[in-house]
Amino acid sequence: QYGADTARLFVMFASPPEQTLEWSDSGVEGASRFLRRLWAWCHQEHRSVRAAGDTLDAGALSGPARDLRFEIHTILKQASYDYERKQYNTVVSAAMKMLNALEASGLAQPEKADAAALRECVSILVRSLYPIVPHVTHALWEALDLGRGKVELIDARWPTVEASALVRDTVSLVLQVNGKTRGAIDVP
């Protein structure tokens, strides 16, 4: 009814590999909804992603693009660690967080520099999901021209966390007195 990728996504998301799995029709429906959301978002943004350059100029990025890169690379850092530990359920969760961040980024029809950041983030999401849902991600890789006709998804390297994307200009510090939050300040 749903296809192989939906079944794979559900099985990997429902429980860690060492635990038993209880089948859930609502869980399968949820996995299917996630894949439909991913498909719809990628096809909605395909023109921007396809037209974006491959060279990313971090200094020219807008605030929302820098925030998106920070969030995607932070999530990727955890997902990479979870893959090494074979905790596929948290990797699927990380992919869901990535899609949420992309949808919330507001980078529809971005400028040239921001488009390259959007392309990078989408590529990270697609490559992160590839071992779990190979059919859907292969179709998206081709539709978005993420390999530029030179690299097939099966040959694409696992995405790496770029340390410069994790650098923030300011951090928020929460002020507490006797365990009660009294405020917050942003500091360089």
Side-chain angles (χ1 to χ4, degrees), residues 2-10 31 35 132-138:
Y2 295 105
D5 277 351
T6 299
R8 287 171 58 96
L9 183 70
F10 167 72
L35 289 178
I132 298 168
V133 289
H135 303 97
V136 168
T137 53
H138 176 75

Side-chain angles (χ1 to χ4, degrees), residues 65-91:
R66 278 195 309 273
D67 292 343
L68 176 63
R69 284 190 80 224
F70 175 80
E71 193 165 353
I72 295 294
H73 281 273
T74 301
I75 296 168
L76 173 62
K77 185 176 182 180
Q78 183 63 45
S80 296
Y81 177 72
D82 291 339
Y83 254 135
E84 291 173 11
R85 292 184 14 227
K86 296 178 178 49
Q87 295 298 310
Y88 304 119
N89 57 325
T90 56
V91 174

Side-chain angles (χ1 to χ4, degrees), residues 36-137:
R36 285 194 308 261
R37 265 183 54 217
L38 173 66
W39 187 268
W41 187 88
C42 286
H43 280 76
Q44 174 186 328
E45 299 298 327
H46 83 279
R47 285 186 182 91
S48 298
V49 174
R50 287 180 68 97
D54 292 325
T55 305
L56 180 70
D57 181 8
L61 296 178
S62 68
R66 278 195 309 273
D67 292 343
L68 176 63
R69 284 190 80 224
F70 175 80
E71 193 165 353
I72 295 294
H73 281 273
T74 301
I75 296 168
L76 173 62
K77 185 176 182 180
Q78 183 63 45
S80 296
Y81 177 72
D82 291 339
Y83 254 135
E84 291 173 11
R85 292 184 14 227
K86 296 178 178 49
Q87 295 298 310
Y88 304 119
N89 57 325
T90 56
V91 174
V92 173
S93 175
M96 292 174 176
K97 290 176 186 175
M98 286 182 197
L99 180 58
N100 290 341
L102 284 164
E103 289 175 332
S105 71
L107 290 180
Q109 306 303 319
E111 297 296 322
K112 184 177 180 181
D114 289 357
L118 182 66
R119 181 179 179 82
E120 174 198 41
C121 293
V122 172
S123 175
I124 288 170
L125 171 58
V126 169
R127 287 182 286 159
S128 297
L129 267 176
Y130 176 65
I132 298 168
V133 289
H135 303 97
V136 168
T137 53

